[in-house]
Amino acid sequence: MLVLIPLLPLLGFLLNASFGRRLGKSASGAIAVGAIALSFALSVGAVYRLVQLPPDARAIVQHVFTWITSGEFEAGFTLRLDPLSALMILVITGIGSLIHVYSTAYMHEERDAEYARYFSYLNLFAAFMLVLVLGANFVVMFVGWEGVGLCSYLLIGFWYQKKSASDAGNKAFIVNRIGDFGFLLGVFLVFVQFGTIDFQEVARAAASLSPETTFGAMSLITLLLFVGATGKSAQIPLFVWLPDAMEGPTPVSALIHAATMVTAGVYMIGRNAVLFSHAPETLAIVAIVGAATAFFAGTIGLVQNDIKRVLAYSTVSQLGYMFLAMGVGAFGAGVFHLYTHAFFKALLFLGSGAVIHALAGEQDLRRMGGLRRELPITYWTFLIGALAIAGVPLLSGFFSKDEILFRTYASGHTVLWVVGLLTSLLTAVYMFRLVFLAFHGERYVPAVGHRHAEDEAPVVPGDHGAPAAGMDRSGHPHGHGRPGERLHDAPAPMALALIALAAGSILAGYVGLPHALGGSAMLETFLEPSFTIAGAQDSGEPAAGEPGDSHAAESGQALELGLMGVSTAVALGGIAIAVFFFLRNRDLSGRVAERFSGLHTVLQNKYYVDEIYDATIVQPLHIVSEQGLWKGIDVRAIDGAVNGVAQAVGGLSERLRRLQTGSVRAYAASLFLGVVLILGYYVWR
């Protein structure tokens, strides 16, 4: 029955894509929500069956059909449910269902056809992501891998009439193709090296080998796979597409950033944990890139003014944490953070969507303020999400983030631990900067007749900023231009999703309660069989903080508690900094920005990475393509040769056609001239 889990959302896509515009919004929404909800119910049933099996035999495999057979190569469309894919399908379908429910209200201003198109794409996205995580081999994974790339293009560019949206969709698609090229090369090399593309067989073959001590075939395979992961999961250097993905509808941002596409790279490394464990040099690269990305994106998030863009860079940073965990070999901790992050990041994006919805399309934090009184449900749920991502104790983010920092420190990567700790400080600062600017202080009211530069940008119908749906005739969004007007909090479907995700942001971390706090690290224990091969040799040494030698265990737990204290102090310190600068002394924050205007400008412009790429890659390619390939080779060489042949034939034909003029006099004159020439020749002889 595993095939039904991705098949139901696929059927929802087909129904809405084919008939949605004629069914109306209620039916379109019901089809999409029903499809993903039924998929969630099936997922729960499948996972329940899985946990009834003995821990060392937790796998359910369904061979649907043999897809490709060519010589020694064989690829079946085979699905496999194990602890890792079980967690992923619950996240995708569970949180995906809440995002679908939220979308029924958020997108209600769209026309029937656009509404159905949106939900068809949303269902298709979920279907491909489910194929990706359930695939038992690289080929099935690649179908889902490319499918979510296609859907990201469709959903980011959903409002395609707006150039920035269509450009963002193109950017996401192109940047991901770069990463996918590396991923494909890695898959080809896997087959060359092991003669199979089945995950279990590859892991079994790799487990029989010794870890590489130098950069060898295993390192090259894993490095190429990691290139694919940097594209899908937005790591340095291929992270530039993710912030621009904000051009899509806000629920799309929640789906991409929390439950689906950006987690694919982390999942892929976890799925091939045995392979990566035998390539320590690649793991070191993964850890360094992850830590660098986490800190790099965190600094950019400090100064962004678009509410969704702050959250976008937050996602890039949190993904860096996950890769840091993978790089130090803490695969369970990385997936644990993936799981908790799905709750609070979906909550934060949907909360920002509720703010944007209430303010008729406004996204600039400088034009908000005082919303906590008028949007209480949105405020309190958003605050829970902010506390969770900041790592405040007893919320889900605290447990998973601390586990990553502990594993990093315990594995001897002290420098990376410091970088992770600094990133944690940045996270608390920029998240509570967002909270205080949006929800505290006084509500922004523009002066009469005053218009910001942003107001001059064209508004796409349906983008909750269209004049027909959310603006008065003067061009001011409802709720901004009228001081006495009261805003409306999230409608029931949106509020339901926010409350459910807030509950998850509080409680989700307790399934991974560490030994140091009296827990059993249940989630990591559950996931462990997915990262190993039964019967394979291991070191026999317990991981830090796990049961083993009692003295070592006590020492590890003491270390973990100490590090928890440090990270808690850092998180609370970050919140205190945000309170000081953005709640108590907003003018001071402005003066600090002016004092360090150079650094502030660099951060606001995202370190000019896009400009550097444009100058070093895009423009040279444009010049080579236009001046060299097009004007030089295509126009002058190829077109010149073809046109030259045509002109030569045409010129010769022009001369030959004079022999066939159709004039009797000309023919008679030619005949006479010929006779004279022949007779003259004989007389001369």
Side-chain angles (χ1 to χ4, degrees):
M1 302 292 285
L2 292 181
V3 74
L4 289 179
I5 295 173
L7 186 60
L8 285 170
L10 180 62
L11 290 175
F13 155 73
L14 293 173
L15 288 173
N16 265 325
S18 302
F19 311 110
R21 67 182 63 193
R22 294 191 289 273
L23 294 174
K25 292 178 183 175
S26 297
S28 294
I31 289 171
V33 173
I36 191 70
L38 284 173
S39 182
F40 175 62
L42 283 174
S43 298
V44 171
V47 173
Y48 178 77
R49 287 175 54 208
L50 184 74
V51 298
Q52 303 304 308
L53 300 173
D56 59 349
R58 282 180 179 157
I60 300 172
V61 179
Q62 181 182 5
H63 179 75
V64 184
F65 57 85
T66 299
W67 184 9
I68 304 171
T69 302
S70 178
E72 297 180 359
F73 179 79
E74 182 174 315
F77 193 90
T78 305
L79 306 179
R80 175 186 171 87
L81 185 71
D82 66 358
L84 178 58
S85 54
L87 180 69
M88 293 300 297
I89 64 173
L90 291 177
V91 168
I92 295 163
T93 58
I95 293 179
S97 295
L98 294 174
I99 294 171
H100 278 66
V101 170
Y102 178 99
S103 296
T104 59
Y106 190 86
M107 299 297 290
H108 201 266
E109 295 297 327
E110 299 292 331
R111 296 187 300 272
D112 287 1
E114 298 303 295
Y115 193 82
R117 179 167 68 91
Y118 169 82
F119 276 106
S120 68
Y121 292 167
L122 218 59
N123 269 180
L124 186 63
F125 207 142
F128 275 126
M129 190 65 193
L130 289 166
V131 169
L132 190 158
V133 300
L134 285 171
N137 58 59
F138 278 103
V139 173
V140 178
M141 173 185 271
F142 191 70
V143 172
W145 190 272
E146 290 301 299
V148 294
L150 168 65
C151 292
S152 70
Y153 165 77
L154 296 173
L155 283 167
I156 293 168
F158 178 77
W159 287 310
Y160 57 85
Q161 304 97 327
K162 188 166 62 172
K163 188 176 187 302
S164 59
S166 61
D167 286 348
N170 289 333
K171 187 175 183 179
F173 193 80
I174 292 167
V175 171
N176 273 277
R177 297 293 72 71
I178 297 169
D180 294 350
F181 181 69
F183 182 78
L184 266 179
L185 291 178
V187 174
F188 294 156
L189 197 53
V190 164
F191 180 72
V192 170
Q193 185 73 15
F194 298 107
T196 180
I197 43 90
D198 181 88
F199 291 128
Q200 290 301 108
E201 293 179 11
V202 169
R204 197 170 290 112
S208 66
L209 304 174
S210 299
E212 290 183 340
T213 56
T214 59
F215 194 92
M218 210 94 77
S219 298
L220 181 58
I221 289 171
T222 51
L223 187 60
L224 288 169
L225 294 177
F226 178 57
V227 170
T230 62
K232 277 290 178 289
S233 295
Q235 298 295 285
I236 293 173
L238 300 180
F239 70 94
V240 291
W241 69 270
L242 192 58
D244 289 348
M246 299 302 97
E247 292 292 340
T250 302
V252 169
S253 302
L255 191 65
I256 292 176
H257 288 240
T260 56
M261 180 172 168
V262 297
T263 62
V266 180
Y267 167 80
M268 184 271 292
I269 293 179
R271 174 54 67 206
N272 294 283
V274 175
L275 204 56
F276 276 84
S277 296
H278 282 67
E281 293 197 16
T282 300
L283 280 183
I285 294 171
V286 172
I288 292 169
V289 169
T293 303
F295 182 77
F296 179 84
T299 58
I300 297 174
L302 281 174
V303 300
Q304 298 303 304
N305 293 312
D306 185 308
I307 186 171
K308 289 172 65 177
R309 201 165 285 270
V310 174
L311 297 177
Y313 280 105
S314 168
T315 299
V316 176
S317 183
Q318 295 303 307
L319 288 165
Y321 262 112
M322 299 174 206
F323 279 100
L324 171 60
M326 295 296 184
V328 300
F331 302 107
V335 175
F336 183 23
H337 195 55
L338 182 158
Y339 157 71
T340 60
H341 176 263
F343 285 96
F344 54 72
K345 186 49 62 68
L347 171 61
L348 291 168
F349 267 111
L350 297 186
S352 72
V355 171
I356 295 167
H357 188 272
L359 298 180
E362 183 58 69
Q363 296 183 199
D364 195 327
L365 289 168
R366 296 166 297 183
R367 303 175 65 189
M368 296 181 186
L371 298 177
R372 75 184 189 280
R373 293 182 293 272
E374 296 176 285
L375 308 177
I377 295 175
T378 301
Y379 170 67
W380 288 108
T381 54
F382 196 96
L383 181 62
I384 289 170
L387 290 168
I389 195 173
V392 171
L394 306 183
L395 277 76
S396 62
F398 165 76
F399 297 112
S400 58
K401 187 181 293 186
D402 263 52
E403 187 68 17
I404 292 174
L405 291 173
F406 167 57
R407 298 288 185 185
T408 302
Y409 187 90
S411 60
H413 297 84
T414 310
V415 174
L416 297 182
W417 174 77
V418 171
V419 174
L421 204 62
L422 290 174
T423 302
S424 181
L425 177 70
L426 295 175
T427 303
V429 174
Y430 67 66
M431 281 309 307
F432 277 86
R433 170 182 177 266
L434 187 160
V435 169
F436 296 143
L437 292 182
F439 294 99
H440 290 257
E442 295 301 320
R443 185 167 138 203
Y444 169 82
V445 178
V448 176
H450 177 70
R451 288 174 66 83
H452 280 253
E454 293 94 329
D455 294 332
E456 304 301 327
V459 181
V460 178
D463 193 4
H464 304 292
M471 288 188 176
D472 59 26
R473 292 187 179 182
S474 67
H476 292 105
H478 295 320
H480 270 275
R482 302 172 183 173
E485 182 179 359
R486 181 166 178 80
L487 303 181
H488 295 285
D489 208 346
M494 294 168 62
L496 174 66
L498 292 174
I499 293 169
L501 289 169
S505 298
I506 296 170
L507 301 173
Y510 287 89
V511 298
L513 194 67
H515 298 283
L517 294 178
S520 59
M522 182 172 63
L523 182 64
E524 291 188 58
T525 303
F526 174 70
L527 291 170
E528 185 60 30
S530 297
F531 307 134
T532 58
I533 288 294
Q537 287 292 111
D538 58 30
S539 63
E541 298 177 3
E546 293 181 357
D549 177 76
S550 60
H551 178 71
E554 290 175 7
S555 175
Q557 291 175 20
L559 174 63
E560 187 169 9
L561 287 172
L563 294 177
M564 280 184 184
V566 173
S567 62
T568 298
V570 167
L572 296 178
I575 296 173
I577 291 171
V579 169
F580 181 78
F581 281 105
F582 304 109
L583 186 61
R584 305 296 184 197
N585 303 283
R586 290 195 181 184
D587 292 340
L588 179 59
S589 66
R591 292 197 297 272
V592 171
E594 291 177 4
R595 174 70 178 81
F596 299 97
S597 58
L599 177 61
H600 188 266
T601 301
V602 169
L603 295 180
Q604 271 201 323
N605 289 280
K606 293 93 69 179
Y607 293 98
Y608 297 98
V609 172
D610 281 297
E611 289 79 3
I612 292 170
Y613 283 177
D614 185 67
T616 59
I617 299 174
V618 178
Q619 291 306 319
L621 283 174
H622 180 74
I623 292 170
V624 170
S625 300
E626 182 179 9
Q627 301 298 328
L629 299 178
W630 174 38
K631 292 182 178 179
I633 296 177
D634 192 9
V635 174
R636 294 178 183 173
I638 298 175
D639 289 354
V642 173
N643 293 336
V645 171
Q647 290 171 359
V649 172
L652 179 61
S653 301
E654 177 67 25
R655 289 168 175 76
L656 290 176
R657 76 177 183 82
R658 295 175 183 174
L659 299 177
Q660 297 290 333
T661 63
S663 171
V664 176
R665 292 181 179 179
Y667 292 161
S670 299
L671 182 61
F672 176 76
L673 179 62
V675 170
V676 169
L677 289 174
I678 293 171
L679 290 176
Y681 173 75
Y682 280 108
V683 169
W684 178 77
R685 288 290 301 268

